[in-house]
Amino acid sequence: MLIGGWGQYPLVEAKVSSPLSGDDLQRTIKTREDKAYIARGLGRSYGDSSLSSTIISTRYLNRFHSFNEKTGVLTCDAGVSLDEVLDTFVHRGWFPSVTPGTRFVTIGGAIASDVHGKNHHTVGAFCDHVLSFRILIANGDILNCSPSENRDLFLATCGGMGLTGLITDATIKLLKVESSFIEETTCKARNLKECLELFDTHNSAPYSVAWIDCLKQGKDLGRSLLMLGRHSGQGGYDDLKKTALSIPFNLPEVCLNKLTVGAFNALYYGRIRKQTQERHVHYGPYFYPLDGIGNWTRLYGAKGFVQYQFVIPKDAGLEGMTRVLDKIAKSGAGSFLSVLKVFGKGNDNFLSFPFEGYTLALDFKVSVQTFELLDQLDAIVQDYGGRVYLTKDARMSDHVFKAGYPQWEVFQSVREKYGAIGTFASLQSRRLGLDAGR
Amino acid sequence: MKKVLIIGATSAIAEATARLFAKRGDQLFLLARDQKKLSVIADDLKVRGAQNIHTGVYDATGQQSSEDIFDKAIKQLDGIDILLVAHGVLPDQKACEISVGDTLKAFEVNATSVVAILTYFANVFEAQKKGSIAVISSVAGDRGRQSNYVYGAAKGAVSIFLQGLRHRLAKSGVQVLTIKPGFVDTPMTAAFDKGALWAQPEQIAKLIIKALDRKKSVVYTPWFWGVIMLIIRSVPDWIFHKTRL
């Protein structure tokens, strides 16, 4: 079947197998002949990270094993989604320690991408709350990994894009919460400088993220809304109301242009009247605004879209971000959602994306101009010693990757040690020169 | 908190439904062939909130004395509110056409074992004058088709049996629910290409819970299969025989 990532670019003809159990999974790997596999959960990585001609889906590996109500320690299969974790545990007072902007990611995928959330500056990335996991490696063995056991494989697998083996199950720590609600504070920033200052002022807020209007230039460059949040003690435990709203088909490409995006951005910014505004809001719309709209990616039309997310060091902040935003604003390539965030310190994982600095995430329609623009952005990011997020990438060159992730050679040596090279490979790993062939 | 017995508990639709029972905090007894699979599912349901959970081995083709197993299950649950019968197998139609053995085996798993179960439980529910019996039949039982009539005939037998049972138990206040799923994306149908008509087991599970809560008699899951099957049942033979359905 023809299959793509969340951005529907690129698409590839692939054979997908869905093992029914850990034993079944082990059998698949032991009898693989010379095929190379990549694991796929809910397919929320945007580009080609979960693509290969032979894919292993974790859809049936979705069972909980055990949960400790006192400590919040959960053990479950790699294919369990955050959606199921939320459904099962929020009303019992537990929340994922780290969550990305969608609840439709699996635990295995969250580890492979070492995903981050709005609380990176206070609690780190997803894998900083993973106590251990088990992984099926190339020879068919299943190994226990933790920060102390098989440490090299742990560091390579966390953020390792599925290229070290197949995670079968994991033990993670959940966060105690007193309600399903978030106290949200939204602050207006007239430009980038104000926005970065606001981040500094509010660096003790547990959650923070800014939405940026990428079409603004000159003195308005970086006009933004900073959204802060903390778990509320009020409101009790309410289940998430799941809406049936969905985009039924790919919209014609012309629907998303400078005018429509500009209008959207003006409305979005204008809806906040005061300098700061406070709201008591359910965790659903706070953390997962887009999950409320099924197949929202169809807004970008049939050709699909690419996401671009990079991080640059803190000291490069204002200057670097100004250069990037200036480039985008001048190109007029409308990015619907542009999200800025401050990262705290990074961890030791070889390919984890976050490090201390500023990160910006943007969406673009797939087009020749987009790819040219992104190449130019790569150069700016590289200038400041930054890197691009692999989970959103569909087009970065191997030398941009290698410059951004200086530990890639250590990563490769661990893959080699565990027989992963050529056995666990994706279109992305081939493009980035980590596996042979294209 | 309901007391629920599920037969064929390792099937995808049964498991998805059991997760919803578990979230409500129901008490569960699971029966299926494979104890190892049952244990994995039982652990999962416990984490999801099932109050109390037991498992037992039951084989729809076995010569074992099933009544002992059912007696034990009811005793462990200390009563029964809901019985969900979900086991089944999709036989290879072509293989059945050249093998009496294969055909009769498909009948045993999909029809006669269900009839045996229902005969036992009908008396239990009739005596207690309350509760729900829910059985997963299939749209395939609505009209025999050349591509799938062995499975269809067995499911058809189950549907008619349930229809009669519903008639009998109406005066006892016992719900008898016939569930007729269309195409469902499960390991049983792994070999098929999936199109727009296919549903996920989680969707079917929600509809089963809803039908149980609303005391329905027959449900097509999802609903549009009711329309599709109405048309398929109405097509005259002289046209039907020209199709490859």
Side-chain angles (χ1 to χ4, degrees), chain A residues 305-355:
Chain A
F305 73 106
V306 286
Q307 263 241 350
Y308 187 75
Q309 183 174 356
F310 64 90
V311 54
I312 53 173
K314 197 144 196 187
D315 50 25
L318 185 59
E319 186 194 317
M321 282 294 168
T322 304
R323 266 181 72 189
V324 169
L325 287 173
D326 200 45
K327 188 123 239 155
I328 296 166
K330 289 208 170 101
S331 79
S335 181
F336 221 138
L337 282 164
S338 312
V339 174
L340 175 70
K341 156 131 208 81
V342 177
F343 277 154
K345 287 210 170 8
N347 54 31
D348 296 335
N349 307 328
F350 305 134
L351 294 192
S352 278
F353 169 65
F355 63 68

Short mmCIF file of all heavy atoms in Angstrom, two decimals, chain A residues 305-355:
data_model
loop_
_atom_site.label_atom_id
_atom_site.label_comp_id
_atom_site.label_asym_id
_atom_site.label_seq_id
_atom_site.Cartn_x
_atom_site.Cartn_y
_atom_site.Cartn_z
N PHE A 305 2.46 18.53 2.98
CA PHE A 305 3.21 19.66 3.52
C PHE A 305 4.43 19.17 4.27
O PHE A 305 4.57 17.99 4.55
CB PHE A 305 2.31 20.52 4.41
CG PHE A 305 2.00 19.90 5.75
CD1 PHE A 305 2.60 20.36 6.90
CD2 PHE A 305 1.10 18.85 5.84
CE1 PHE A 305 2.31 19.80 8.14
CE2 PHE A 305 0.80 18.29 7.06
CZ PHE A 305 1.40 18.75 8.21
N VAL A 306 5.32 20.10 4.53
CA VAL A 306 6.48 19.76 5.35
C VAL A 306 6.48 20.65 6.58
O VAL A 306 6.02 21.79 6.55
CB VAL A 306 7.82 19.93 4.61
CG1 VAL A 306 8.01 18.81 3.59
CG2 VAL A 306 7.93 21.29 3.94
N GLN A 307 6.95 20.09 7.69
CA GLN A 307 7.18 20.89 8.88
C GLN A 307 8.66 21.16 8.95
O GLN A 307 9.47 20.37 8.48
CB GLN A 307 6.74 20.11 10.12
CG GLN A 307 5.37 20.46 10.60
CD GLN A 307 5.34 21.03 12.00
OE1 GLN A 307 6.33 21.03 12.71
NE2 GLN A 307 4.19 21.53 12.40
N TYR A 308 8.99 22.28 9.55
CA TYR A 308 10.40 22.59 9.75
C TYR A 308 10.53 23.07 11.18
O TYR A 308 9.88 24.03 11.58
CB TYR A 308 10.81 23.70 8.77
CG TYR A 308 12.29 24.00 8.77
CD1 TYR A 308 13.19 23.12 8.16
CD2 TYR A 308 12.78 25.14 9.39
CE1 TYR A 308 14.54 23.39 8.16
CE2 TYR A 308 14.14 25.41 9.39
CZ TYR A 308 15.02 24.53 8.77
OH TYR A 308 16.36 24.81 8.76
N GLN A 309 11.31 22.35 11.97
CA GLN A 309 11.55 22.81 13.34
C GLN A 309 13.04 22.76 13.61
O GLN A 309 13.70 21.76 13.35
CB GLN A 309 10.79 21.95 14.36
CG GLN A 309 10.98 22.49 15.79
CD GLN A 309 10.14 21.78 16.84
OE1 GLN A 309 9.35 20.90 16.52
NE2 GLN A 309 10.35 22.14 18.09
N PHE A 310 13.55 23.86 14.13
CA PHE A 310 14.98 23.91 14.44
C PHE A 310 15.16 24.49 15.84
O PHE A 310 14.23 25.06 16.42
CB PHE A 310 15.71 24.79 13.41
CG PHE A 310 15.29 26.23 13.46
CD1 PHE A 310 15.95 27.15 14.28
CD2 PHE A 310 14.22 26.67 12.70
CE1 PHE A 310 15.54 28.48 14.34
CE2 PHE A 310 13.80 28.01 12.76
CZ PHE A 310 14.46 28.91 13.58
N VAL A 311 16.36 24.32 16.36
CA VAL A 311 16.72 24.97 17.62
C VAL A 311 18.06 25.66 17.42
O VAL A 311 18.92 25.13 16.71
CB VAL A 311 16.77 23.95 18.79
CG1 VAL A 311 17.70 22.78 18.48
CG2 VAL A 311 17.18 24.60 20.11
N ILE A 312 18.19 26.86 17.99
CA ILE A 312 19.49 27.52 18.00
C ILE A 312 19.84 27.89 19.43
O ILE A 312 18.95 28.07 20.26
CB ILE A 312 19.53 28.79 17.10
CG1 ILE A 312 18.38 29.74 17.45
CG2 ILE A 312 19.47 28.42 15.62
CD1 ILE A 312 18.44 31.07 16.72
N PRO A 313 21.14 27.99 19.73
CA PRO A 313 21.54 28.24 21.11
C PRO A 313 20.99 29.56 21.63
O PRO A 313 20.72 30.48 20.86
CB PRO A 313 23.07 28.29 21.04
CG PRO A 313 23.44 27.61 19.79
CD PRO A 313 22.30 27.81 18.84
N LYS A 314 20.87 29.62 22.95
CA LYS A 314 20.25 30.78 23.58
C LYS A 314 20.93 32.10 23.22
O LYS A 314 20.27 33.09 22.92
CB LYS A 314 20.27 30.59 25.10
CG LYS A 314 19.30 31.50 25.80
CD LYS A 314 18.66 30.84 27.00
CE LYS A 314 17.44 31.66 27.39
NZ LYS A 314 16.83 31.24 28.62
N ASP A 315 22.29 32.09 23.20
CA ASP A 315 22.99 33.36 22.95
C ASP A 315 22.80 33.84 21.50
O ASP A 315 23.00 35.01 21.20
CB ASP A 315 24.47 33.28 23.34
CG ASP A 315 25.15 32.07 22.74
OD1 ASP A 315 24.66 31.60 21.69
OD2 ASP A 315 26.15 31.58 23.31
N ALA A 316 22.39 32.94 20.63
CA ALA A 316 22.15 33.35 19.24
C ALA A 316 20.72 33.85 19.07
O ALA A 316 20.33 34.30 17.99
CB ALA A 316 22.39 32.17 18.30
N GLY A 317 19.94 33.73 20.15
CA GLY A 317 18.50 33.89 20.11
C GLY A 317 17.94 35.01 19.26
O GLY A 317 17.45 34.76 18.15
N LEU A 318 18.04 36.23 19.75
CA LEU A 318 17.34 37.32 19.09
C LEU A 318 17.84 37.52 17.67
O LEU A 318 17.05 37.62 16.73
CB LEU A 318 17.50 38.61 19.92
CG LEU A 318 16.72 39.81 19.41
CD1 LEU A 318 15.23 39.51 19.37
CD2 LEU A 318 16.99 41.03 20.29
N GLU A 319 19.15 37.50 17.52
CA GLU A 319 19.73 37.75 16.20
C GLU A 319 19.36 36.63 15.21
O GLU A 319 18.87 36.88 14.10
CB GLU A 319 21.25 37.86 16.34
CG GLU A 319 21.94 38.26 15.05
CD GLU A 319 23.45 38.03 15.12
OE1 GLU A 319 24.06 38.34 16.17
OE2 GLU A 319 24.00 37.52 14.12
N GLY A 320 19.54 35.39 15.65
CA GLY A 320 19.26 34.24 14.78
C GLY A 320 17.80 34.17 14.39
O GLY A 320 17.45 33.99 13.22
N MET A 321 16.92 34.31 15.38
CA MET A 321 15.49 34.22 15.11
C MET A 321 15.05 35.35 14.19
O MET A 321 14.20 35.16 13.32
CB MET A 321 14.69 34.29 16.42
CG MET A 321 14.66 33.00 17.20
SD MET A 321 13.78 31.70 16.30
CE MET A 321 14.23 30.28 17.28
N THR A 322 15.63 36.53 14.39
CA THR A 322 15.28 37.66 13.54
C THR A 322 15.64 37.35 12.09
O THR A 322 14.85 37.59 11.17
CB THR A 322 16.02 38.94 14.00
OG1 THR A 322 15.70 39.15 15.37
CG2 THR A 322 15.61 40.14 13.19
N ARG A 323 16.82 36.78 11.89
CA ARG A 323 17.23 36.44 10.51
C ARG A 323 16.27 35.43 9.88
O ARG A 323 15.87 35.57 8.73
CB ARG A 323 18.65 35.87 10.51
CG ARG A 323 19.71 36.93 10.26
CD ARG A 323 21.09 36.35 10.24
NE ARG A 323 21.37 35.53 9.04
CZ ARG A 323 22.48 34.79 8.91
NH1 ARG A 323 23.37 34.75 9.86
NH2 ARG A 323 22.66 34.10 7.81
N VAL A 324 15.91 34.41 10.67
CA VAL A 324 15.02 33.37 10.13
C VAL A 324 13.64 33.95 9.82
O VAL A 324 13.09 33.76 8.73
CB VAL A 324 14.88 32.20 11.13
CG1 VAL A 324 13.78 31.25 10.70
CG2 VAL A 324 16.20 31.45 11.24
N LEU A 325 13.08 34.69 10.80
CA LEU A 325 11.73 35.23 10.61
C LEU A 325 11.69 36.22 9.45
O LEU A 325 10.72 36.27 8.68
CB LEU A 325 11.24 35.90 11.90
CG LEU A 325 10.88 34.92 13.02
CD1 LEU A 325 10.58 35.67 14.31
CD2 LEU A 325 9.69 34.06 12.62
N ASP A 326 12.77 36.99 9.31
CA ASP A 326 12.86 37.95 8.23
C ASP A 326 12.82 37.24 6.88
O ASP A 326 12.09 37.61 5.96
CB ASP A 326 14.17 38.72 8.40
CG ASP A 326 14.13 40.03 7.64
OD1 ASP A 326 13.09 40.72 7.76
OD2 ASP A 326 15.11 40.34 6.94
N LYS A 327 13.58 36.17 6.80
CA LYS A 327 13.64 35.37 5.57
C LYS A 327 12.26 34.82 5.22
O LYS A 327 11.82 34.86 4.06
CB LYS A 327 14.63 34.22 5.79
CG LYS A 327 14.93 33.44 4.57
CD LYS A 327 16.42 33.45 4.27
CE LYS A 327 16.69 34.02 2.92
NZ LYS A 327 17.96 34.59 2.69
N ILE A 328 11.57 34.29 6.22
CA ILE A 328 10.25 33.68 5.97
C ILE A 328 9.24 34.76 5.57
O ILE A 328 8.49 34.60 4.60
CB ILE A 328 9.75 32.92 7.20
CG1 ILE A 328 10.68 31.74 7.48
CG2 ILE A 328 8.33 32.41 7.00
CD1 ILE A 328 10.49 31.13 8.85
N ALA A 329 9.24 35.87 6.31
CA ALA A 329 8.28 36.93 6.03
C ALA A 329 8.48 37.45 4.61
O ALA A 329 7.52 37.66 3.86
CB ALA A 329 8.44 38.06 7.04
N LYS A 330 9.74 37.62 4.20
CA LYS A 330 10.02 38.12 2.85
C LYS A 330 9.61 37.13 1.79
O LYS A 330 9.21 37.50 0.69
CB LYS A 330 11.50 38.48 2.73
CG LYS A 330 11.85 39.73 3.54
CD LYS A 330 13.03 40.48 2.96
CE LYS A 330 13.18 41.83 3.64
NZ LYS A 330 14.25 41.82 4.65
N SER A 331 9.72 35.85 2.09
CA SER A 331 9.37 34.82 1.10
C SER A 331 7.86 34.77 0.91
O SER A 331 7.37 34.30 -0.12
CB SER A 331 9.85 33.45 1.56
OG SER A 331 8.96 32.92 2.52
N GLY A 332 7.10 35.22 1.92
CA GLY A 332 5.64 35.19 1.83
C GLY A 332 5.07 33.78 1.89
O GLY A 332 3.87 33.58 1.73
N ALA A 333 5.91 32.80 2.11
CA ALA A 333 5.43 31.43 2.22
C ALA A 333 4.69 31.31 3.55
O ALA A 333 5.30 31.34 4.61
CB ALA A 333 6.60 30.44 2.17
N GLY A 334 3.37 31.24 3.46
CA GLY A 334 2.56 31.30 4.67
C GLY A 334 2.70 30.06 5.51
O GLY A 334 2.47 28.95 5.05
N SER A 335 3.08 30.25 6.75
CA SER A 335 3.07 29.16 7.69
C SER A 335 1.90 29.40 8.63
O SER A 335 1.81 30.43 9.26
CB SER A 335 4.38 29.13 8.47
OG SER A 335 4.36 28.06 9.36
N PHE A 336 0.97 28.47 8.64
CA PHE A 336 -0.24 28.61 9.43
C PHE A 336 0.11 28.73 10.91
O PHE A 336 -0.22 29.68 11.58
CB PHE A 336 -1.10 27.36 9.24
CG PHE A 336 -2.55 27.65 9.11
CD1 PHE A 336 -3.30 26.98 8.17
CD2 PHE A 336 -3.17 28.59 9.92
CE1 PHE A 336 -4.64 27.24 8.03
CE2 PHE A 336 -4.51 28.85 9.78
CZ PHE A 336 -5.25 28.17 8.84
N LEU A 337 0.83 27.68 11.36
CA LEU A 337 1.14 27.59 12.77
C LEU A 337 2.62 27.73 12.95
O LEU A 337 3.37 26.91 12.47
CB LEU A 337 0.74 26.21 13.27
CG LEU A 337 -0.74 26.06 13.49
CD1 LEU A 337 -1.07 24.60 13.59
CD2 LEU A 337 -1.15 26.78 14.76
N SER A 338 3.02 28.77 13.62
CA SER A 338 4.43 28.94 13.86
C SER A 338 4.59 29.04 15.36
O SER A 338 3.99 29.90 16.00
CB SER A 338 4.93 30.20 13.18
OG SER A 338 4.45 30.17 11.87
N VAL A 339 5.34 28.13 15.90
CA VAL A 339 5.37 27.98 17.34
C VAL A 339 6.79 28.16 17.84
O VAL A 339 7.72 27.53 17.33
CB VAL A 339 4.82 26.59 17.73
CG1 VAL A 339 4.99 26.36 19.21
CG2 VAL A 339 3.35 26.48 17.35
N LEU A 340 6.94 29.04 18.81
CA LEU A 340 8.25 29.34 19.37
C LEU A 340 8.28 28.88 20.82
O LEU A 340 7.29 29.01 21.54
CB LEU A 340 8.50 30.84 19.31
CG LEU A 340 9.79 31.36 19.97
CD1 LEU A 340 11.01 30.94 19.17
CD2 LEU A 340 9.75 32.88 20.10
N LYS A 341 9.42 28.32 21.22
CA LYS A 341 9.52 27.84 22.59
C LYS A 341 10.95 27.92 23.06
O LYS A 341 11.88 27.88 22.26
CB LYS A 341 8.96 26.41 22.58
CG LYS A 341 9.41 25.52 23.63
CD LYS A 341 8.35 24.75 24.37
CE LYS A 341 8.88 24.47 25.76
NZ LYS A 341 8.75 25.57 26.67
N VAL A 342 11.10 28.07 24.37
CA VAL A 342 12.44 28.05 24.95
C VAL A 342 12.70 26.65 25.49
O VAL A 342 11.88 26.11 26.21
CB VAL A 342 12.54 29.06 26.12
CG1 VAL A 342 13.92 28.98 26.77
CG2 VAL A 342 12.27 30.46 25.63
N PHE A 343 13.83 26.07 25.09
CA PHE A 343 14.22 24.77 25.63
C PHE A 343 15.11 24.96 26.84
O PHE A 343 15.93 25.88 26.88
CB PHE A 343 15.02 23.97 24.59
CG PHE A 343 14.18 23.23 23.58
CD1 PHE A 343 14.71 22.95 22.32
CD2 PHE A 343 12.90 22.78 23.88
CE1 PHE A 343 13.96 22.25 21.38
CE2 PHE A 343 12.16 22.07 22.93
CZ PHE A 343 12.69 21.81 21.69
N GLY A 344 14.96 24.04 27.80
CA GLY A 344 15.92 23.97 28.90
C GLY A 344 17.12 23.15 28.46
O GLY A 344 17.32 22.90 27.27
N LYS A 345 17.91 22.69 29.43
CA LYS A 345 19.11 21.91 29.09
C LYS A 345 18.74 20.61 28.39
O LYS A 345 17.72 20.00 28.68
CB LYS A 345 19.87 21.59 30.38
CG LYS A 345 20.58 22.80 30.96
CD LYS A 345 21.82 22.37 31.72
CE LYS A 345 22.73 23.53 32.12
NZ LYS A 345 22.23 24.88 31.90
N GLY A 346 19.59 20.19 27.45
CA GLY A 346 19.37 18.93 26.76
C GLY A 346 19.79 17.75 27.63
O GLY A 346 20.25 17.93 28.75
N ASN A 347 19.59 16.52 27.12
CA ASN A 347 20.02 15.33 27.85
C ASN A 347 21.18 14.65 27.11
O ASN A 347 21.71 15.20 26.14
CB ASN A 347 18.84 14.38 28.08
CG ASN A 347 18.13 14.03 26.77
OD1 ASN A 347 18.75 13.98 25.70
ND2 ASN A 347 16.82 13.79 26.85
N ASP A 348 21.56 13.46 27.57
CA ASP A 348 22.75 12.81 27.00
C ASP A 348 22.45 11.95 25.78
O ASP A 348 23.36 11.38 25.18
CB ASP A 348 23.40 11.91 28.07
CG ASP A 348 23.93 12.72 29.24
OD1 ASP A 348 24.22 13.92 29.02
OD2 ASP A 348 24.05 12.17 30.35
N ASN A 349 21.17 11.80 25.43
CA ASN A 349 20.84 10.92 24.30
C ASN A 349 21.50 11.43 23.03
O ASN A 349 21.50 12.62 22.76
CB ASN A 349 19.32 10.85 24.12
CG ASN A 349 18.62 10.46 25.41
OD1 ASN A 349 19.18 9.70 26.20
ND2 ASN A 349 17.42 10.99 25.64
N PHE A 350 22.03 10.48 22.23
CA PHE A 350 22.90 10.88 21.11
C PHE A 350 22.19 11.72 20.06
O PHE A 350 22.77 12.62 19.49
CB PHE A 350 23.53 9.64 20.47
CG PHE A 350 24.28 8.78 21.46
CD1 PHE A 350 24.12 7.40 21.46
CD2 PHE A 350 25.12 9.37 22.40
CE1 PHE A 350 24.80 6.62 22.38
CE2 PHE A 350 25.81 8.58 23.32
CZ PHE A 350 25.64 7.20 23.32
N LEU A 351 20.93 11.40 19.77
CA LEU A 351 20.25 12.14 18.71
C LEU A 351 19.03 12.94 19.19
O LEU A 351 18.22 13.37 18.39
CB LEU A 351 19.79 11.20 17.58
CG LEU A 351 20.86 10.49 16.75
CD1 LEU A 351 20.22 9.84 15.53
CD2 LEU A 351 21.98 11.41 16.33
N SER A 352 18.89 13.11 20.49
CA SER A 352 17.75 13.91 20.97
C SER A 352 17.87 15.34 20.45
O SER A 352 18.96 15.91 20.42
CB SER A 352 17.71 13.93 22.49
OG SER A 352 17.09 12.76 22.94
N PHE A 353 16.73 15.87 20.07
CA PHE A 353 16.72 17.19 19.43
C PHE A 353 16.96 18.36 20.39
O PHE A 353 17.77 19.25 20.10
CB PHE A 353 15.38 17.33 18.70
CG PHE A 353 15.09 18.70 18.20
CD1 PHE A 353 15.86 19.29 17.20
CD2 PHE A 353 14.00 19.42 18.70
CE1 PHE A 353 15.57 20.56 16.72
CE2 PHE A 353 13.70 20.69 18.23
CZ PHE A 353 14.50 21.26 17.24
N PRO A 354 16.28 18.42 21.55
CA PRO A 354 16.34 19.66 22.33
C PRO A 354 17.71 19.94 22.96
O PRO A 354 18.38 19.02 23.44
CB PRO A 354 15.31 19.43 23.45
CG PRO A 354 14.47 18.29 22.99
CD PRO A 354 15.36 17.44 22.16
N PHE A 355 18.15 21.16 22.90
CA PHE A 355 19.22 21.65 23.77
C PHE A 355 18.88 23.07 24.18
O PHE A 355 17.94 23.67 23.61
CB PHE A 355 20.61 21.54 23.12
CG PHE A 355 20.82 22.36 21.88
CD1 PHE A 355 20.87 23.75 21.92
CD2 PHE A 355 21.01 21.73 20.64
CE1 PHE A 355 21.10 24.50 20.77
CE2 PHE A 355 21.22 22.47 19.48
CZ PHE A 355 21.26 23.86 19.55
#
